[in-house]
Structures are given as structure tokens and as C-alpha cells.
Amino acid sequence: MNFKKIALTLVCGSVAMAAMGQGALTSRVFTYDGSVGTNGQATYVLNGDGAGAYLFAGSVNGTGNSNGIPGASTTNASFLVNTIVNVSSYVYISGNFGGVYNVQGIGGGYDGSETNQVEVRTNRSLNFTAAGFYGMGSAIGTIAYTMSLLQDYPSNGVVLGGTGVALVDDNFNGATLNLNAVTQLPVDGRATLQITRQLTLTQAAQGGKSYSAAGTIQVSVN
């Protein structure tokens, strides 16, 4: 391109820099608690034989429970094997969507599409929504944005949920992509959130001046 030099700073995605404040985990971490304090006390005590047999600890003979033993009777007992798996939420987003254009020369024209990508690691489904975008003023120029989600990081090229059409300046507000952590992510739980933008300038873009346009990509956890 040939334009007088200007610097256009686009800062979008403040949530995309170490969002949630979590460091990167290299693997899942498991802990196990089989204690009585967590799982309760289960006791089966049978006293006596024959017609005089009875269950200890308040159970009615032949029915009910004996201290947490389901189906306890004078002839049998079933110890419940209860396994509970608590999976904590984990969302890690790292990268930035900031960009600077340095333009030289004269006249109007446009640049090719420029791309920024951030890493997403999650076991929760997420929504990404564009908000707060504005332009430089149509007399000066416009910026067309496209947001897309790709499988894995670095991306393997598989698009998740489609790629939005290019939307100009504040028309980008409200653009939303949804990431289903169960059905869309590979086994490593990673995805790529990608923003592409294309700058168009007019001759009214004054030399020796910097212009800025900004917005954010908001993350919500489902």
C-alpha cells in the first residue's frame, strides 16, 4: 500500500490475556478421598441365630438399613459402592488481539486480511461475543472483523461452529461464537479463537497522525 504514515492501534480482547487468571496445566490432577468423614459410616452387625437373630443399630429385623447398608436383613447385606467424581471448572485463555498498522504513501486503498490467534483450553462450554467496537469514522476508513473458532492449538484447521461473515466497525458488536466443550474439542481440550481484520483507508486519513479503534471479545462460561 502507498499511504502517508499513520499508526492504527486495535486493542480487542482484554479478556483474552490470561483470562480467569489461571496458569497452564500440563495434565489433569486427580485427588481421591475414601474417608468415613466424606462418605459416611456403614456398619452391618447381625446378632444371634435362627429365630432370635436381629440387626444391630436400630434397623427393623428383615427390612430397612443397618447404619447405611441398603437392603440389610438378618440373612444378607449389600454394601453400597458409591464413587463420586467432581470435575472442577478449568478455563485458560492466553494471547492478545492487539495490532498496529504502519501505513506509508498517499491515496486510498486497503490491506489484506490480518490474523491474530489466542489459545483456549477448557472443560466448560464457552460463548465468545464481540462488544464495544467502534470505527475511526467512515470518512477516514473502516475495519472489517471476522471471528472464528478452530479445533486444537495450534489449529489443525477444523472450524468449530462456522466462521462469521466480515462485519465492519460497530456492526461487529454482538457477533457470537459458541464452543461446546463436550462435542467439539479434541482429547487435549484445546481450541483456537481467531480474529481477522481488514483495513480500508481513504485519502482523508491524515499523514503524521495516529488513529485507534477498539473493542473486546467477552467470554461467558456455560
Side-chain angles (χ1 to χ4, degrees), residues 61-119:
N61 187 17
T63 62
N65 301 325
S66 180
N67 273 10
I69 307 299
S73 72
T74 57
T75 58
N76 61 65
S78 300
F79 278 76
L80 179 65
V81 180
N82 187 28
T83 302
I84 297 174
V85 180
N86 295 312
V87 181
S88 297
S89 293
Y90 185 76
V91 179
Y92 172 83
I93 303 175
S94 181
N96 74 84
F97 289 135
V100 176
Y101 287 93
N102 294 305
V103 184
Q104 296 179 327
I106 58 174
Y110 61 91
D111 191 20
S113 295
E114 304 293 343
T115 301
N116 288 73
Q117 296 181 333
V118 301
E119 178 183 6

Side-chain angles (χ1 to χ4, degrees), residues 139-205:
I140 303 300
T142 58
I143 305 165
Y145 300 93
T146 304
M147 180 167 56
S148 56
L149 274 168
L150 305 172
Q151 194 178 76
D152 223 325
Y153 186 88
S155 165
N156 60 14
V158 176
V159 178
L160 303 177
T163 297
V165 297
L167 298 170
V168 176
D169 295 335
D170 59 352
N171 290 320
F172 189 48
N173 292 321
T176 300
L177 289 177
N178 305 307
L179 174 62
N180 188 314
V182 176
T183 62
Q184 294 181 320
L185 290 181
V187 294
D188 64 4
R190 301 188 190 197
T192 298
L193 178 61
Q194 176 175 286
I195 296 292
T196 61
R197 55 186 162 223
Q198 184 173 44
L199 169 67
T200 300
L201 287 181
T202 73
Q203 173 59 17

